[in-house]
Every structure is written in structure tokens, then in C-alpha cells.
Amino acid sequence: MVRHLIAIFSATLLLQAAAAAQNSPDATYVPKPSPVAAVDTTKVLCIGNSFTYFHDCPHKLVEIAAFEGHFIDMTWAFRGGYTLGQHVTYQPTVEAIRKGGYEYAFLQDQSQAAARYVGFHDDYPYVRTDFETLSACVRTVSRDCECIYERTWSYPAYENGGFPSEKAFDKALAKGARKVARPSHCRVSPIGDAFTLSRELYPEINLLYTDDHHQSPAGTYLKCCVNYLMIFKQPFGSSPSDCDLDPATAAKLRSVAEKIVLRK
């Protein structure tokens, strides 16, 4: 099945489609100029759905990196509600992958997929295959790209993803992400773990939007901090970007990201 889908993908690459990566419906955030010069350039691809574009994650990741002296050449492809399997033949994603030269690709599945893979495996066996197929598609063009599976967060909306509690949903997301990524020898970006720790340490920081599902601006910032550390693997410097958050709140979220990713 994986080889069959890659063959479809490779054939699709031959098409000269005009479609570009879909723009975020709320892409209103303009990255601020960095106060420091970039010392390197890293080419990054983000593929996902509304958890990828909400409150303009890609642009904020670019700004966070820039303030640390790193230029991210960012490309993204997303569509609300999409699974990774749907992205394999989604033309904007195909076109984004086709650009090539990526060093890192963050792949974010439908927000309940990883949990359902372990909780209701018989009904969702394709979740792991979807990741394997899409990551293989990325590597057909960007051979040395590291594909990273995003472990998303739990939320109370939508009946906790079909689980008896939000805590059970969160545990299933964590376990599912590991099981999906491990066979491909890929790392997991522990965004959901950072959300869990932030809720424990700083319950006053609301990480969710008003729909109790998508991330708030604070949630977006925390996600970006985690992904930044997944790439560069070093603590934040003395003059980090707050991405328009209250500086004290941003500092707390950066500390959470460092605890989760760098074990500080």
C-alpha cells in the first residue's frame, strides 16, 4: 500500500499544477525584524491542518528562530481537518514537497488520529501508514530531511476524542504518537507534553482558543517554542521573541518547552 501511494505521489509530481501551499485563513501575523544577524539558514516544511495554521504558527516559528540568530526558509501546506493520508495526493501539499531541499518537516495529523490509533486500532490502522507514506514522499524529494511527527494536545471539546476523560485522551495521544513515529525511526515533537506540563505549572495561562479545541495565541507560542527546540536543540538566548505575548507569560512558556525538549 505504501509503495502504491508513493507511486501515485511520484506521478502527481510530474504534473505542472499552479496551486501553491494553501494560505492560512488567519495569516495576519507579520514576523518582526530580528535584532541579530542570522548565522545559518534552515529549510523547514510544515504539513497539517488547522492546528498547524491557527494563530499563524509558521510565521511565529520563523520569528522565534530569527531572534535566536537562525533564518528559517519556511514552506507550509495545510487544510482544515485533513489527515496525513489526505495530504499525500492533495495538490498544494504535493507542490510544497516538490520544492525540495528541506532539512526538517513537521507532520501534524488530524487532532484525534494518534489517540484513535491506539484506542480504537481496528478502526484506524491506517494512521501509522499515512505517516510512513507521507514522510516517504517528502524524502523522495528531500532525501536527508528529518520528518518529525507532531504530538498534539488534548482538549475537552468533541467528547474528548471518544475517550472517557480528557486525561485518557491525552495519554492516548502521547502513546499513539510514539507508536506512529517509532517504526519510521522518526522523532516526536512533544507539543502535547508541553501543554500538559504548562497546565500543571501555570494553570492561569489559557492554551486553548474559545472553542476549547484549537490553540490560543499562548498555545501557538508554546507549540512554536517546542518545534524551535526540536530543530536547534539549544536553550533560548537572552533576548528571545515574545510574539506579542505578555513577556512574563512568554518566559514561562519557553521554560516549559525547555523542560520538555531539553530536559532542563
Side-chain angles (χ1 to χ4, degrees):
M1 176 62 73
V2 172
R3 290 180 179 177
H4 177 65
L5 288 173
I6 293 174
I8 294 174
F9 172 81
S10 299
T12 308
L13 285 179
L14 299 176
L15 299 176
Q16 298 298 318
Q22 181 185 6
N23 289 323
S24 166
D26 64 345
T28 58
Y29 188 83
V30 178
K32 293 184 284 295
S34 172
V36 298
V39 298
D40 52 33
T41 297
T42 304
K43 196 166 185 180
V44 175
L45 172 65
C46 293
I47 297 175
N49 46 59
S50 56
F51 276 29
T52 294
Y53 66 66
F54 226 71
H55 294 294
D56 220 340
C57 279
H59 284 154
K60 290 180 179 178
L61 176 56
V62 168
E63 180 179 309
I64 289 169
F67 273 58
E68 303 297 323
H70 306 287
F71 175 70
I72 290 182
D73 182 357
M74 173 67 75
T75 300
W76 58 86
F78 31 69
R79 186 180 177 104
Y82 255 37
T83 65
L84 295 182
Q86 289 172 300
H87 275 289
V88 172
T89 54
Y90 180 52
Q91 193 61 39
T93 303
V94 171
E95 290 297 313
I97 293 173
R98 187 169 178 255
K99 292 179 180 180
Y102 298 111
E103 296 167 72
Y104 295 92
F106 291 98
L107 308 184
Q108 184 257 308
D109 208 343
Q110 193 274 341
S111 63
Q112 299 172 0
R116 287 173 169 171
Y117 178 68
V118 293
F120 313 101
H121 184 269
D122 289 345
D123 295 324
Y124 298 92
Y126 54 82
V127 173
R128 192 185 83 184
T129 303
D130 285 353
F131 174 71
E132 292 173 343
T133 302
L134 188 59
S135 59
C137 289
V138 172
R139 292 190 184 115
T140 62
V141 182
S142 302
R143 182 172 298 179
D144 297 325
C145 180
E146 180 182 358
C147 294
I148 299 173
Y149 187 86
E150 290 193 350
R151 187 290 224 209
T152 53
W153 52 90
S154 63
Y155 47 82
Y158 298 98
E159 299 180 350
N160 297 312
F163 289 83
S165 68
E166 186 176 351
K167 184 176 181 179
F169 181 26
D170 194 53
K171 288 185 176 180
L173 285 169
K175 183 178 180 180
R178 293 191 297 270
K179 285 185 171 291
V180 168
R182 186 179 295 127
S184 298
H185 305 288
C186 291
R187 288 191 297 160
V188 172
S189 182
I191 301 161
D193 298 298
F195 270 56
T196 300
L197 182 60
S198 179
R199 288 163 173 164
E200 293 174 358
L201 297 179
Y202 308 112
E204 73 277 10
I205 300 177
N206 184 11
L207 300 176
L208 298 183
Y209 189 56
T210 55
D211 62 3
D212 279 339
H213 180 203
H214 293 94
Q215 69 270 32
S216 67
T220 286
Y221 184 78
L222 180 55
K223 171 178 176 172
C224 291
C225 288
V226 170
N227 281 347
Y228 168 82
L229 294 173
M230 290 294 292
I231 297 172
F232 297 105
K233 307 176 182 69
Q234 293 181 338
F236 295 99
S238 59
S239 300
S241 166
D242 297 332
C243 291
D244 292 343
L245 285 184
D246 167 68
T249 297
K252 291 175 181 178
L253 295 174
R254 288 193 300 272
S255 72
V256 168
E258 289 180 345
K259 285 182 174 68
I260 290 297
V261 181
L262 303 180
R263 302 299 177 185
K264 285 194 66 183

